[in-house]
Amino acid sequence: MMFSPEDFLSNLKENPIDKHQFWRDINKFYKENKIQDSQLFVSCFSIFNELFKTDYASGQFYTWLEKYAESNLKSAEEIKSEIERNPSRDTYEFWISIVFGLSKLGKDFENEIIDNIKANDGYKISVGLRAATIIDSKDKLSLCETIDALINLDRCKELFDEIDWAYLMNFYTHHLHRYPKFDNRIRELCEIDSSYIYSALARALNSYIELGKNEELFYFSIKHLARTPLEYSGIYNTLNFSLDTYFESDPEVIKCLLESWIDYHLPSANGMEVLEHLLNNFNDKNPKYFHLLISNWLLKSHNYGLAVQFLISEIRSGRDALKLDVNLLEKLNEPDTILLTLRIIGFAWDKDVIYGMLLQILESNLDSQEVINNTASLIYSELLLNYPSLIKRLKEEKTSNKIYKSIIDQIIARADEYFERLSGLPVYDEFKPSDKRLIYYNKIQFKGLGGEALENRKSSFLDFADKTQLRAGKGFFSKTEYGYSNVMEPKRISHSMEMPRLEFIDPIGQQAKRLHFRYISKDELHNS
């Protein structure tokens, strides 16, 4: 059966929409590239809009409509007139595509753009701004000045939907290079609390707001974007992309963003998950500067120490390679070095990171008996007693420095002596968990988990149906829209990890010690 664009549009209006069929048919519609009934076509815009919003696929339709307008002048003008006769946010959403296509044929729309911006409908103002942003005109500077004079933010607050703020920000950032006065307008817009303003500003960085040309505004934008609410993870991902060139060329930019974020969000934020991609990129592309940043943060306020703790948990690869900056270690005096060791124990909750950093400090301060005593004591009491496996790792450390080797040997000897004495102690059955006790404990735990799952469970329209399991011998399979899956057999998966011993013996004492190390000041350290 031949595909008919008119039948496709009529079916959209009259019949229930099958989304799978719609996406197949819309591609055929693009290929046909023919619209006979402009009124019918425009009446379907609200349906197109709804489908495109749920599947984020409007870009292809915009592009097709622009090209259609370029090659079908008469039909495009009819569609434009039909949109203007039936003004709504849905119809005007595509007015810009038609106008953009027609502008490439030499049509002038400056007066219509200005008329839209003067209108009392937010969507018309928005469309006028979008057109002014992307369409070239004979006197662009004059058009920008006229539009800027018409923009009143109080009026915009009354008329705009949330998304319209993005188009207003785009207008000002796109024309910043031609009209530097827009710097002030961008700053004004940043005072409005809107996710769309944050998003548009993040996209403009390094494209329209450039470090070399707009340094003051660039850093203002960085500091403003650091305040982006944590629920907008997509904006943080955009930042990671926009700032990609600065990880190596100008890491001070990344430092400014991170420290502004810490100052604004910590300690209330429960982690740095939104910065995961940016932190990993920074560590991968410029580890030397990244290590310097960590080293300095550990010596700063409590919030910066928290940032180190969260940061370590977000590093996916190369976490074991996190180090302190060697040059910084050489410049620190004894009190600052000792304070650094305590902060590492307090904030770096990863045994491998702590191990590497403390050994770095020890090796860098072999001429200071006070630092040696402090660091060796921490390695013994906080690492080896908690994680006995590190004793073997310490024995395998290779060094040609006899002093360093002697200190390591002394630490190992003390740890071996402790665990040898511990192994000679009698084992009391009272503290040895029996199989029966473990079964009872697991039963209580799983019962609690099941209760939580039921409380948090969301209702489903499938609740009325009986649940079935599809089995085939020892395996199982499922039915999907594409047929039956292959038979799968359950496998046993195991995983083991070393838990800190002292955390189980004296959890409150360990926590109290960490808190003390976190908050201890230089003055307290000096007087202790």
Side-chain angles (χ1 to χ4, degrees):
M1 183 177 178
M2 292 289 291
F3 177 81
S4 166
E6 305 309 311
D7 290 344
F8 165 66
L9 296 173
S10 296
N11 285 332
L12 279 181
K13 293 273 294 177
E14 297 168 5
N15 300 316
I17 298 169
D18 179 338
K19 289 182 75 172
H20 295 292
Q21 186 63 42
F22 169 79
W23 292 115
R24 285 192 287 268
D25 288 346
I26 193 72
N27 286 315
K28 295 176 183 176
F29 182 77
Y30 295 149
K31 290 178 182 177
E32 286 289 327
N33 204 42
K34 184 170 60 176
I35 299 169
Q36 293 178 339
D37 189 338
S38 299
Q39 185 176 359
L40 175 62
F41 179 56
V42 172
S43 69
C44 290
F45 280 4
S46 60
I47 301 171
F48 287 144
N49 239 339
E50 195 61 37
L51 289 165
F52 293 152
K53 283 176 185 175
T54 56
D55 289 276
Y56 305 100
S58 56
Q60 188 178 4
F61 187 80
Y62 290 137
T63 304
W64 170 79
L65 199 52
E66 289 165 14
K67 292 181 177 177
Y68 179 83
E70 281 185 71
S71 55
N72 298 271
L73 175 61
K74 184 179 178 182
S75 176
E77 287 180 333
E78 288 177 3
I79 294 169
K80 177 176 172 292
S81 298
E82 187 62 32
I83 291 172
E84 291 165 350
R85 280 194 295 271
N86 298 277
S88 70
R89 184 169 286 273
D90 281 326
T91 56
Y92 262 76
E93 178 69 24
F94 303 105
W95 183 87
I96 178 65
S97 298
I98 292 290
V99 167
F100 187 41
L102 291 174
S103 70
K104 294 179 181 179
L105 300 176
K107 297 286 184 178
D108 181 18
F109 294 99
E110 282 192 24
N111 291 333
E112 291 185 56
I113 289 171
I114 291 170
D115 287 342
N116 278 327
I117 292 172
K118 287 179 179 178
N120 290 320
D121 298 298
Y123 64 86
K124 286 189 177 181
I125 300 172
S126 171
V127 164
L129 291 167
R130 290 163 69 185
T133 301
I134 63 174
I135 294 174
D136 287 325
S137 61
K138 296 175 182 177
D139 190 352
K140 192 76 169 183
L141 186 59
S142 174
L143 178 64
C144 287
E145 288 178 338
T146 303
I147 292 172
D148 182 53
L150 291 171
I151 295 297
N152 180 293
L153 293 186
D154 290 332
R155 180 169 173 265
C156 291
K157 288 175 184 177
E158 293 176 6
L159 299 175
F160 273 9
D161 280 4
E162 270 290 293
I163 194 171
D164 298 330
W165 290 112
Y167 301 130
L168 182 56
M169 178 62 90
N170 285 342
F171 169 76
Y172 284 117
T173 56
H174 280 56
H175 297 112
L176 180 64
H177 65 290
R178 293 185 182 181
Y179 204 52
K181 183 182 174 183
F182 285 175
D183 178 305
N184 293 327
R185 278 296 204 175
I186 293 168
R187 292 171 189 266
E188 282 183 62
L189 282 172
C190 287
E191 294 176 10
I192 296 166
D193 185 20
S194 168
S195 63
Y196 287 96
I197 285 178
Y198 283 117
S199 181
L201 189 62
R203 290 195 303 272
L205 277 182
N206 208 33
S207 298
Y208 303 104
I209 303 174
E210 301 176 69
L211 178 60
K213 297 178 181 178
N214 321 97
E215 183 173 353
E216 190 177 337
L217 180 62
F218 184 90
Y219 276 106
F220 170 86
S221 302
I222 288 286
K223 291 174 182 177
H224 181 71
L225 286 165
R227 295 173 170 238
T228 303
L230 303 182
E231 60 265 29
Y232 302 135
S233 57
I235 296 174
Y236 285 101
N237 291 335
T238 300
L239 268 178
N240 177 49
F241 178 78
S242 297
L243 300 177
D244 184 67
T245 58
Y246 297 108
F247 290 117
E248 295 174 80
S249 65
D250 203 333
E252 288 290 324
V253 169
I254 314 298
K255 176 188 175 185
C256 177
L257 172 68
L258 292 174
E259 294 192 343
S260 298
W261 189 93
I262 292 167
D263 291 337
Y264 185 77
H265 288 287
L266 292 182
S268 58
N270 191 27
M272 298 177 77
E273 188 178 352
V274 292
L275 294 168
E276 177 193 353
H277 298 301
L278 188 141
L279 291 171
N280 278 280
N281 274 344
F282 200 7
N283 183 43
D284 292 341
K285 295 180 178 180
N286 198 342
K288 186 175 179 180
Y289 193 92
F290 194 70
H291 297 161
L292 175 63
L293 208 57
I294 293 174
S295 306
N296 281 315
W297 286 358
L298 284 167
L299 288 169
K300 292 182 76 172
S301 67
H302 176 262
N303 286 352
Y304 282 84
L306 269 181
V308 173
Q309 177 187 323
F310 295 147
L311 174 152
I312 290 171
S313 68
E314 297 301 338
I315 299 300
R316 294 189 300 270
S317 61
R319 184 185 298 172
D320 296 352
L322 290 177
K323 297 177 181 178
L324 299 170
D325 183 71
V326 176
N327 295 327
L328 179 70
L329 288 178
E330 291 175 355
K331 295 174 184 176
L332 292 179
N333 56 31
E334 283 186 350
D336 284 345
T337 303
I338 293 171
L339 181 64
L340 181 59
T341 60
L342 300 179
R343 291 282 176 81
I344 289 168
I345 297 295
F347 289 109
W349 287 14
D350 184 287
K351 67 181 176 70
D352 297 312
V353 173
I354 297 174
Y355 175 86
M357 288 182 173
L358 290 184
L359 284 188
Q360 258 191 293
I361 292 173
L362 185 62
E363 193 172 10
S364 301
N365 291 273
L366 296 176
D367 56 346
S368 170
Q369 192 60 47
E370 189 175 354
V371 173
I372 290 173
N373 292 342
N374 172 79
T375 309
S377 174
L378 289 174
I379 292 172
Y380 166 75
S381 63
E382 305 304 321
L383 279 179
L384 301 189
L385 297 191
N386 259 315
Y387 304 99
S389 66
L390 290 177
I391 298 173
K392 180 181 177 183
R393 184 172 168 185
L394 195 57
K395 289 177 179 178
E396 294 171 353
E397 288 289 334
K398 296 179 180 179
T399 178
S400 58
N401 189 304
K402 293 181 179 180
I403 299 175
Y404 183 53
K405 180 72 166 64
S406 173
I407 296 168
I408 287 178
D409 289 342
Q410 291 176 56
I411 298 170
I412 292 169
R414 190 177 175 191
D416 283 341
E417 181 188 356
Y418 171 83
F419 285 108
E420 188 176 342
R421 284 190 286 109
L422 190 66
S423 63
L425 295 175
V427 178
Y428 293 96
D429 288 339
E430 177 66 25
F431 299 102
K432 183 179 180 181
S434 65
D435 291 342
K436 186 176 180 181
R437 187 178 297 171
L438 286 173
I439 290 169
Y440 183 71
Y441 175 80
N442 286 335
K443 185 177 179 181
I444 292 173
Q445 293 297 310
F446 282 114
K447 186 177 180 181
L449 288 171
E452 283 185 23
L454 286 172
E455 287 177 13
N456 298 324
R457 182 176 174 275
K458 295 181 179 179
S459 59
S460 167
F461 75 95
L462 289 175
D463 286 346
F464 71 91
D466 292 333
K467 307 299 183 290
T468 59
Q469 282 186 321
L470 304 175
R471 293 184 176 178
K474 294 181 180 179
F476 63 93
F477 61 97
S478 59
K479 185 178 180 181
T480 70
E481 59 180 307
Y482 304 107
Y484 291 98
S485 69
N486 294 327
V487 176
M488 297 169 282
E489 288 190 20
K491 302 290 183 182
R492 175 173 292 177
I493 300 171
S494 63
H495 173 72
S496 64
M497 63 181 295
E498 186 176 21
M499 304 297 289
R501 292 177 63 258
L502 299 181
E503 286 287 340
F504 292 93
I505 297 169
D506 182 20
I508 296 175
Q510 289 289 294
Q511 182 69 8
K513 189 187 294 185
R514 272 199 298 270
L515 286 172
H516 175 64
F517 289 165
R518 285 178 176 222
Y519 287 101
I520 191 169
S521 66
K522 293 182 183 180
D523 293 336
E524 289 176 297
L525 189 63
H526 181 73
N527 296 325
S528 61

